[in-house]
Amino acid sequence: MTADHQAIRPRTKRELAGGPALRRPERDAGLARVRRGVYAESSAFADASREARYLLRIRAVHAVRPRAIVARESALALHGIPYGLEPDAVYTVGGSKTAGRKAGVVHAQIPIDARDVTMVGDVRATTVAYALADVARRGDAVDSVSAIDWALRSARTTKPAIRDALARQSKRGRARAEWAIGFADGRAESVGESWSRVRVFELGFAAPELQVLVTGPTGRGWRVDMRFDRPGRRPVYGEFDGMQKYGVLAQQQGKRGVEALADEKLRDDDLLLTGDPAHWVWDDVLRPARLEQILARYGVPRPRPRLIRMSRGA
């Protein structure tokens, strides 16, 4: 679990009332209510990241239901794997008598094999492979592929293991999950790259080759996120740029932002002599019509029709 989450320890009302300070949490401004009967220090809660707050919600459920098996996106969060937007509930699974939604918990009353359950610290959760298959059956392709890409890249699981876990789940959504598993590629180096690949597919453009090493005329080698081949023309080098790209580059390399920007310009100048660099950012991925315009402008082949509808404001 993340360091900032470890600093926010959930404490039950009984635990607080039984301590030496005899605190009454409902009247204590120094405590924030996480869920019924569970609290955390207000200052730490206010400064916590989105991910840390969701992990705290999961731990709060564990505090009152220690035998619960955390599932779906909640399990991915415990395993430290990207899961998309923060869910509005904590997901659990297993043979509990209570099913459905209650007090911020969505429980699926289904049998689960012992091999699909593991411990994350002191919390019971579905395995990485089982959680990925479960999310892939239910979720959006961009989130499913991003999670599987990340897990493959970090060697947390394998495609055969995910397919094996999928075989022990409901048949509902199985075709969707099979597609996501097959499409996933551990060479994608960020969630933004994973989202970009899914969007490229949904827009009908040809599949790119990932993480290609390109040697420029200067003799320096540059790794590009994607390479799109164009018959009879130079390739297009597709590059997803996070909004903080140059700040991140500077931090990683111990340089100032302006130095990182200069290095990136040198890189693009070198690449321009062998192909055409095409850059896009998160806003282009979140509004696919913009990414479509970029790829079309560079003449990326489009062998299939578009699979998604474009809103007028996209």
Side-chain angles (χ1 to χ4, degrees):
M1 296 180 187
T2 59
D4 51 353
H5 170 61
Q6 290 175 348
I8 315 173
R9 177 171 166 265
R11 303 174 71 184
T12 64
K13 185 175 181 179
R14 178 179 298 181
E15 180 183 0
L16 290 163
L22 298 176
R23 300 173 78 174
R24 299 187 65 177
E26 66 275 12
R27 299 184 181 180
D28 193 331
L31 295 173
R33 183 179 181 273
V34 182
R35 61 172 284 115
R36 182 178 180 181
V38 184
Y39 298 81
E41 297 296 332
S42 296
S43 57
F45 185 77
D47 294 336
S49 65
R50 173 183 68 89
E51 293 81 3
R53 288 193 183 199
Y54 188 55
L55 282 168
L56 179 60
R57 288 170 57 196
I58 297 169
R59 291 288 299 184
V61 171
H62 170 71
V64 296
R65 292 177 50 195
R67 296 295 297 167
I69 301 172
V70 177
R72 292 175 53 176
E73 288 88 350
S74 305
L76 292 183
L78 281 178
H79 288 297
I81 295 173
Y83 52 86
L85 296 176
E86 180 180 344
D88 61 1
V90 172
Y91 297 103
T92 61
V93 68
S96 171
K97 295 180 181 179
T98 303
R101 179 185 290 266
K102 183 178 181 181
V105 177
V106 173
H107 179 76
Q109 187 180 357
I110 58 174
I112 184 166
D113 196 289
R115 78 188 96 169
D116 296 317
V117 181
T118 189
M119 298 297 295
V120 182
D122 60 347
V123 182
R124 300 171 78 204
T126 57
T127 63
V128 169
Y130 191 95
L132 289 170
D134 203 3
V135 168
R137 287 194 304 111
R138 309 167 187 268
D140 292 336
V142 285
D143 292 328
S144 301
V145 171
S146 299
I148 300 172
D149 280 355
W150 192 98
L152 295 175
R153 182 174 68 256
S154 56
R156 299 292 300 279
T157 189
T158 63
K159 287 189 177 186
I162 303 172
R163 288 193 173 101
D164 182 58
L166 178 62
R168 292 187 292 278
Q169 298 182 23
S170 168
K171 292 183 179 180
R172 179 177 296 179
R174 188 171 292 184
R176 180 188 299 117
E178 286 283 7
W179 179 87
I181 297 167
F183 188 81
D185 193 317
R187 291 177 294 175
E189 293 189 340
S190 71
V191 171
E193 287 181 34
S194 298
W195 271 62
S196 296
R197 288 199 309 114
V198 175
R199 290 293 189 232
V200 167
F201 174 83
E202 292 175 336
L203 290 169
F205 290 101
E209 187 175 353
L210 306 182
Q211 298 302 321
V212 179
L213 184 63
V214 178
T215 302
T218 63
R220 298 180 65 176
W222 311 99
R223 190 173 298 279
V224 298
D225 296 342
M226 305 177 189
R227 186 185 73 191
F228 298 91
D229 291 326
R230 298 179 295 183
R233 300 175 63 186
R234 304 187 323 162
V236 173
Y237 302 134
E239 297 275 80
F240 171 80
D241 298 338
M243 296 300 286
Q244 305 298 323
K245 178 172 182 179
Y246 300 116
V248 170
L249 282 173
Q251 185 177 22
Q252 289 176 344
Q253 300 170 10
K255 301 177 181 178
R256 295 178 301 159
V258 65
E259 293 174 328
L261 179 59
D263 283 351
E264 190 68 6
K265 175 135 185 348
L266 173 63
R267 178 180 186 272
D268 264 14
D269 287 345
D270 210 11
L271 289 174
L272 269 170
L273 296 173
T274 63
D276 296 321
H279 295 264
W280 57 82
V281 296
W282 265 116
D283 198 36
D284 302 316
V285 178
L286 294 172
R287 300 167 67 185
R290 296 176 56 143
L291 181 59
E292 180 180 43
Q293 290 173 359
I294 293 170
L295 297 177
R297 186 187 315 133
Y298 279 89
V300 174
R302 196 173 199 171
R304 294 173 290 99
R306 183 196 301 141
L307 299 178
I308 53 176
R309 289 185 177 181
M310 301 293 187
S311 64
R312 291 184 178 180

